[in-house]
Structure formats: structure tokens, C-alpha cells
Amino acid sequence: MVLGKVRALAVHFDSLNPSNLPVFSGGELVSGRVLVQVTGDVRVRSLEVTARGVAKVRWTESRNAGANTAYTQNYTEEVEYLRHRDTLIGEDRDADCPEEGLALLHAGLHEFAFSFSLPQMALATSFEGKHGSVRYWVKAELHRPWMLPVRAKKEFIVFEHIDINTPLLLAPQAGTKEKTLCCWFCASGPISLSAKIERKGYTPGESIQIFAEVENCSSRVVVPKAALYQTQTFFAKGKGKQIQQLVSNLRGEALAQGRSQSWEGRLLKIPPVSPSILDCPIIRVEYVLVVYVDVPGGLNLSLSLPLVIGTIPLHACASRTSSISSSCSSAPSWPGLAQRPEAPPSYSDLDISESQRRVLLRGCEPPPLPRHEDESGPLLTFITEFRYLPPPLYAEVDPYPEPAEPSRPDPCPSR
């Protein structure tokens, strides 16, 4: 008998979204097929499928230990979220094959189904960073006697859903700061900044409405700006490594001395980015909105408002609640948001029949919450984009460091 060869081995998933990507969440069933194409009869010892999910962190630091010597320290850490193994061929003896424990695949294309459930625990969202990653994959291995195994591997995406329709993520974020520029021989007036956003939680594709007030009483020309940053933090061997990336920004108009500027809902769009990762012990992905005043020749005046990028978008009822609570807040007072909305009229005051009143009241019932399988629908638009989007440039230097205690006063600014 002339033995054939294995022409192809591939892994395919059954559940694909409109973007043709395998996307799952914790507790869901992952199913697919292993395709084996052979050109002739092939004896197989086993066909195994292994599913893994691992978060890994790794970076290297070099230190000088003398004039001509140096040593390198490696920092590595790993957390396993998924491990599943299944044998598709090799458990039963094939009647067509006389050898003990071997199966025979005839020429053609063969399909072998596999399935497993993701753990119900909180999984880390798939992520690719400079010093670490979170990856999930399925690997198939075809073992033949006296020959090297044939392997095929395919990754799938896991999203740990973050619902921004929670009281914590619907709460407004606000702050106020003031700064005075001065030296030994002269002093200028203060620069004041107040900023506010409607809520803390957003999803990719949304726009952040920024309400801000900037007053420049100094002798310099300043520029109000806003920027959204992503901060990646990696932990290994008790040490942390942090990377900050600029995601999106906007710029206001320059302000001369004695001028002020108001942002009444300036929009900053959130591009396709990875959701926040808050529960992984070795990788954290966080976001912050920095509203600041660019002061030439001095330290910037800035406000940092933390954000959470989620996966489940804002519901209609939560949007109305967030808008009303933002409008009714009293400190600080914002232009266009100071007046309390009027109470709606009561249906008991209308001159209508009882049947019409029941119809109206039935129309006021809140809409049902979306089902779990529909929650990730709007997010799928961005899965392909952020996964294959090149990351922004890395900036390891903090653009807004804490001011250090000066050993001597700064020289007087030019007038």
C-alpha cells in the first residue's frame, strides 16, 4: 500500500460575526471544525485539539555595573485563563487498520468537529501591547507514526463585557484648578480652568462632550486643549512598566491677557480602541481625558478626568437620566446647563377617555433591555478596525509630570 501525504490541516470556527471574526465572551460555547485533506491513505496515531488563553508580560532592562560591564534583567509573568484539550482521533481502534491504536484516513477532505465552553469567570479582553498581550487560540496537532506532527493554529477574540449603564460610569466627572505665574520681581494674574464631562463610561465611536471654562488673567498668551490618553501598565516580579499613548486630541483658540473662553459641549471623538482592562492582575489598560491650558515657557495647567471604555453602549433611558443629572448639577455651574428641566404634564389633567389613557400609559413603559446576544452588536463595527489599526506612537515620558520643588525661582518672564 502506497501511503499518501497530508496536504492541508486547518482550524475553522462556526460562530463568526459580520466582520468574519470569531468573537466570544465568558461562558459562551466555542465550536468549530478541524479540516484534514490527504492525497492518499494516511495512517494517523491521533488528532488533538488544544485551546489556550494566556496573558503574558515581558520586558528587559539593562544596567551598567562598571566601566566595561553590564547586566540584563528579564521581567516575565504569565496568567492562564483557559486550558482545554480534546482528542478527535486516537481513542477508538479503526477496523480497517490492523495496527494497534492507528486510524486510517482515506484520500480526500475530512472534517472533525470540536466544541468547548469558555469559563464563567471574568476573562481578560484580547489585547496586544508593547510589553504584553492577552491571546486566545485553538491549535490542532495531527500525529503520524515515525513522522513529525502537523500543526495548525488559529486565534479567536474574547471580549469581557463592560456595561457603561451603571451608576458609577454614568456619574459626571468635573474639576477646577487655578495657577498663578510669578517670580521675584513681578507677578501676573491667575489662570483658571474648570472642566466637566457628562459621564465616566463611553464606547468606541462615541464623542465626549466637554464643557470647560478658561480665564486668562496672566501676561502670557495661552491655548486650551484636550487629549484622550491610553495608559498601559504591565506588572512582573513586583515591578511595573507603564506606557502612555495619545489616542485623540483637540485644540481651542489662543487666549490673550484678560480673555476667557467657554466650551459648551466641544466634541472629542473616540476612535476604535481596545476596551479598558481592569481585572487582569498583570495587565491594565486605562483611559484618561486631560483638559489643560498650554502655557508657553511654563508648566501646563491640567485636569485629569478618568474614563472607562466599555463594550455595551448607552441605553436610551440611561442617556436621558445622565443628561438630566448633568443638567441639574449645581457645582460648578455650566453655560446652557443651569436651568432645571420642567416636569412633564400628568395624563390625569388631560380630557381623554379611559381607554385612551391606558394606551398612553402603556406607551410610557420603559423599553426592554437588549438581550445578551445583542449587547455586543454595536461593538462589532469596531473589532476589525482596532485589532488591525496600527497603535499610536509610544510616549514613555509623562507629558504632564508633577512639578518639582525649584531650587531657585524662575527668571522674570519677558514683558
Side-chain angles (χ1 to χ4, degrees):
M1 181 181 65
V2 179
L3 296 180
K5 297 181 179 181
V6 178
R7 183 176 180 182
L9 178 67
V11 177
H12 292 274
F13 295 100
D14 294 334
S15 300
L16 298 178
N17 57 60
S19 301
N20 202 33
L21 291 174
V23 181
F24 306 94
S25 298
E28 292 186 351
L29 179 69
V30 180
S31 62
R33 294 158 293 135
V34 177
L35 304 182
V36 183
Q37 186 175 13
V38 295
T39 58
D41 293 341
V42 175
R43 289 182 295 177
V44 177
R45 177 174 293 141
S46 65
L47 175 60
E48 299 175 348
V49 171
T50 304
R52 294 285 308 278
V54 176
K56 286 185 178 181
V57 168
R58 179 182 178 86
W59 76 85
T60 303
E61 294 184 3
S62 299
R63 300 177 184 271
N64 293 327
N68 299 318
T69 60
Y71 69 93
T72 300
Q73 178 69 40
N74 294 323
Y75 294 90
T76 60
E77 201 73 48
E78 180 175 314
V79 174
E80 186 175 74
Y81 285 97
L82 170 66
R83 179 184 288 271
H84 174 82
R85 188 181 186 90
D86 194 9
T87 302
L88 305 182
I89 297 179
E91 294 181 348
D92 298 327
R93 180 179 174 180
D94 197 297
D96 297 333
C97 185
E99 288 87 351
E100 180 72 23
L102 294 182
L104 183 65
L105 295 182
H106 300 288
L109 181 64
H110 303 266
E111 294 188 6
F112 302 92
F114 67 88
S115 65
F116 59 92
S117 295
L118 295 177
Q120 294 286 351
M121 59 180 286
L123 301 176
T125 298
S126 299
F127 175 75
E128 293 290 333
K130 183 178 181 181
H131 299 301
S133 63
V134 182
R135 297 175 181 171
Y136 298 85
W137 69 88
V138 171
K139 182 171 68 174
E141 294 186 5
L142 182 66
H143 296 270
R144 297 166 294 169
W146 307 106
M147 300 187 71
L148 294 176
V150 182
R151 297 183 175 92
K153 179 179 177 180
K154 190 166 186 179
E155 292 189 16
F156 61 94
I157 302 172
V158 169
F159 272 102
E160 182 61 28
H161 284 299
I162 301 177
D163 190 355
I164 68 171
N165 301 278
T166 60
L168 179 62
L169 300 185
L170 291 177
Q173 306 293 303
T176 301
K177 272 191 178 181
E178 187 175 276
K179 180 179 182 179
T180 301
L181 305 176
C182 62
C183 69
W184 282 106
F185 305 104
C186 61
S188 62
I191 304 173
S192 60
L193 168 64
S194 299
K196 177 183 177 181
I197 55 178
E198 293 181 330
R199 46 193 163 93
K200 185 177 181 180
Y202 292 86
T203 53
E206 283 191 283
S207 294
I208 306 173
Q209 280 191 319
I210 305 174
F211 299 89
E213 286 280 353
V214 181
E215 186 176 2
N216 181 23
C217 297
S218 70
S219 58
R220 306 187 191 184
V221 178
V222 300
V223 182
K225 299 179 181 179
L228 176 62
Y229 287 95
Q230 179 196 77
T231 303
Q232 304 174 11
T233 309
F234 306 92
F235 302 96
K237 296 183 178 179
K239 190 172 182 179
K241 190 80 168 177
Q242 196 171 81
I243 299 294
Q244 189 174 68
Q245 302 180 15
L246 175 64
V247 175
S248 181
N249 62 351
L250 62 86
R251 175 191 177 101
E253 299 177 0
L255 290 177
Q257 181 180 7
R259 303 294 297 274
S260 62
Q261 186 175 141
S262 297
W263 288 1
E264 300 183 8
R266 285 287 299 269
L267 297 179
L268 178 63
K269 188 175 179 61
I270 303 175
V273 292
S274 171
S276 299
I277 300 179
L278 306 176
D279 296 329
C280 182
I282 62 174
I283 297 178
R284 288 182 66 89
V285 178
E286 300 168 297
Y287 294 87
V288 62
L289 174 67
V290 180
V291 182
Y292 64 102
V293 179
D294 189 359
V295 182
L299 295 176
N300 295 335
L301 174 63
S302 64
L303 282 173
S304 297
L305 306 177
L307 299 180
V308 173
I309 302 299
T311 60
I312 301 177
L314 191 67
H315 300 157
C317 57
S319 177
R320 291 193 297 268
T321 304
S322 174
S323 177
I324 292 175
S325 63
S326 175
S327 302
C328 297
S329 60
S330 56
S333 177
W334 303 100
L337 294 178
Q339 295 182 355
R340 185 180 296 273
E342 297 181 0
S346 174
Y347 287 112
S348 60
D349 299 334
L350 302 179
D351 187 15
I352 57 177
S353 64
E354 184 63 26
S355 60
Q356 291 174 326
R357 181 179 290 109
R358 284 197 298 268
V359 172
L360 289 174
L361 290 176
R362 188 163 54 250
C364 297
E365 295 177 357
L369 295 179
R371 297 176 299 176
H372 178 72
E373 58 267 17
D374 298 331
E375 289 175 344
S376 59
L379 179 68
L380 298 182
T381 309
F382 308 100
I383 289 177
T384 306
E385 299 182 38
F386 92 76
R387 182 164 176 80
Y388 298 104
L389 191 69
L393 295 178
Y394 291 101
E396 300 196 19
V397 180
D398 188 0
Y400 305 102
E402 292 293 333
E405 291 293 335
S407 57
R408 58 180 180 178
D410 295 335
C412 178
S414 58
R415 299 183 179 179

